[in-house]
Amino acid sequence: MAVHATMPVRHHGSLSWAMPVGLGTLFGFYAGFLRRTGEAVSWWDVLYGVVAGLVFTAVAYGLGRIQNALPREVRAGAYAVVCGMSIGFLHSLTGTSILRAAGMGLMFAAVMLAVAFYVFYMRED
């Protein structure tokens, strides 16, 4: 029984791919839904959603792979940029002006920056 206490804990990296794939799937479905603009679903809408979801998945997976090498300030900024750009992109699909979409992206990025910095600051040793 004492042997188990001295053995290092082995972490499985299932969240390293499951979280980006899940978020990318939701992002792609929502992007395809917003592009539809009230008409019947076409293959272009589906393709648009799939491509948007794949791009978001790739960016989220890449950020997740390098996040431990970044200092907490840069890491929080990277998460803020990804959050702000994705929200701004989705908001631009609703047909509003580009300034409103950029403003929404900046607002969400600022909130994400504050939250991510707080979380990373509290969890670092």
Side-chain angles (χ1 to χ4, degrees), residues 29-51:
F29 276 136
Y30 197 55
F33 174 76
L34 288 177
R35 188 172 187 290
R36 185 173 72 97
T37 63
E39 300 169 359
V41 177
S42 69
W43 285 107
W44 291 114
D45 299 332
V46 174
L47 181 65
Y48 193 83
V50 167
V51 170

Side-chain angles (χ1 to χ4, degrees), residues 60-86:
Y61 181 76
L63 180 58
R65 296 297 291 175
I66 66 166
Q67 73 174 350
N68 292 332
L70 301 173
R72 64 178 167 231
E73 296 87 5
V74 176
R75 189 180 335 158
Y79 276 103
V81 167
V82 170
C83 176
M85 287 177 62
S86 61

Side-chain angles (χ1 to χ4, degrees), residues 88-112:
F89 172 73
L90 288 176
H91 197 70
S92 72
L93 291 177
T94 63
T96 60
S97 71
I98 192 69
L99 291 176
R100 183 176 169 116
M104 290 294 288
L106 285 174
M107 183 180 67
F108 274 87
V111 170
M112 183 65 176

